[in-house]
Amino acid sequence: MADELAGKVAIVTGGASGLGAGLARRFAAEGAKVLIGDVDGDSGKALAAEIGSDALFVEADVSELGQVSGLVSTAVERFGGLHVMVNNAGISGTMHRRFLDDDLADFDKVMRINVRAVMAGTRDAARHMKDHGGGSIINLTSIGGIQAGGGVMTYRASKAAVIQFTKSAAIELAHYEIRVNAIAPGNIRTAIVRKSASGEDLEKLEQFEAKIRQQMRDDRPLKREGTVDDVAEAALYFATDRSRYVTGTVLPVDGGTVAGKVTARKS
């Protein structure tokens, strides 16, 4: 289908690269006006220039609440409204070999970006949407918030919090015809895995990432690699009227990983 978002205005936080950039491109291709918010000015400006007049980049740090609300007000002022809010910005935190070695030094930062910014983005978008016919809010969580596991404990906790918040906000905001859903990507190749081991040298980083990716492939029922486009397709569904009766859901986009590990087949 084409032009599914014609006449719509969308915000994508963390939209300068990775999953966010994929979502921004897809929304614009479907006819939306897209405001891209990110701390990465160079990448954000380049993406907006690539998309063209239907995109606007605003440099914003979502850990600052005033800058989150500024994204909403700017979208309304520049594009005339807001119909879709994607709270995508997130960080992984530092990878430690053992939880017992974790000093929790990055806890506040991870929670400000991964949880508080999602809550603020949802709230600020809903404040506009409630008086303008409703809308769709899409929060990016992770399969790390669904499945328990070792490593990046603060990240896992933050993504689990996003899931519970999304369901709770969906219940309260349904009165205003505002739908709130979450996407839980898994095994999608972006820079966030590498950033979680930022204290290592490049060779160790490459070894670490290769090990993680191989484990993901071994555990995943679907053997093809997931892509940013797969996540963008899920976001498009939530952004359009195709999901008009869907709210409070968490959609894993993970090749079946959270359904269960692959077991050996008998010949």
Side-chain angles (χ1 to χ4, degrees):
M1 299 178 71
D3 295 328
E4 286 196 87
L5 295 178
K8 304 294 187 181
V9 177
I11 294 173
V12 181
T13 69
S17 61
L19 295 179
L23 271 59
R25 289 188 179 99
R26 185 59 189 276
F27 285 1
E30 292 291 338
K33 304 287 187 182
V34 183
L35 186 148
I36 302 162
D38 206 296
V39 293
D40 185 346
D42 291 340
S43 296
K45 291 173 185 175
L47 178 60
E50 171 197 322
I51 293 173
S53 60
D54 287 338
L56 171 68
F57 172 69
V58 175
E59 190 165 340
D61 179 354
V62 296
S63 69
E64 300 292 335
L65 296 183
Q67 295 189 36
V68 177
S69 62
L71 293 175
V72 173
S73 60
T74 300
V76 173
E77 291 168 5
R78 293 292 296 271
F79 293 137
L82 177 61
H83 307 91
V84 181
M85 178 72 180
V86 183
N87 294 301
N88 166 74
I91 59 173
S92 67
T94 304
M95 173 68 76
H96 296 275
R97 294 187 182 278
R98 303 185 307 163
F99 175 61
L100 299 179
D101 299 325
D102 192 339
D103 58 7
L104 301 178
D106 58 1
F107 180 89
D108 290 343
K109 181 178 181 181
V110 172
M111 289 297 177
R112 282 198 306 272
I113 294 173
N114 290 8
V115 182
R116 192 178 72 169
V118 170
M119 297 177 72
T122 299
R123 179 199 63 190
D124 295 341
R127 284 173 173 171
H128 173 82
M129 291 175 178
K130 75 179 182 66
D131 297 323
H132 295 85
S136 174
I137 298 172
I138 305 165
N139 297 327
L140 271 289
T141 179
S142 165
I143 62 170
I146 300 173
Q147 283 188 322
V152 287
M153 295 296 196
T154 300
Y155 174 80
R156 289 181 181 276
S158 72
K159 292 303 184 178
V162 169
I163 291 172
Q164 187 71 354
F165 166 71
T166 295
K167 293 179 179 180
S168 299
I171 294 169
E172 183 166 334
L173 298 177
H175 175 73
Y176 305 107
E177 294 298 322
I178 298 171
R179 295 174 287 111
V180 189
N181 293 288
I183 298 173
N187 312 341
I188 309 295
R189 188 178 292 276
T190 67
I192 196 167
V193 172
R194 176 165 293 211
K195 288 177 181 177
S196 69
S198 57
E200 305 287 347
D201 59 33
L202 181 58
E203 183 178 355
K204 289 183 179 179
L205 279 172
E206 291 173 347
Q207 293 173 353
F208 167 80
E209 187 167 7
K211 181 179 179 180
I212 293 295
R213 294 295 175 191
Q214 185 59 54
Q215 185 64 55
M216 289 176 174
R217 283 190 290 271
D218 291 343
D219 290 345
R220 188 175 64 233
L222 289 178
K223 290 310 174 187
R224 78 169 182 84
E225 294 287 340
T227 69
V228 170
D229 289 340
D230 293 319
V231 180
E233 187 67 28
L236 179 63
Y237 167 70
F238 283 134
T240 66
D241 288 341
R242 285 187 284 144
S243 62
R244 64 184 180 273
Y245 198 55
V246 179
T247 195
T249 67
V250 180
L251 175 60
V253 181
D254 67 344
T257 300
V258 299
K261 292 185 177 182
V262 175
T263 57
R265 294 180 177 85
K266 295 181 180 180
S267 57

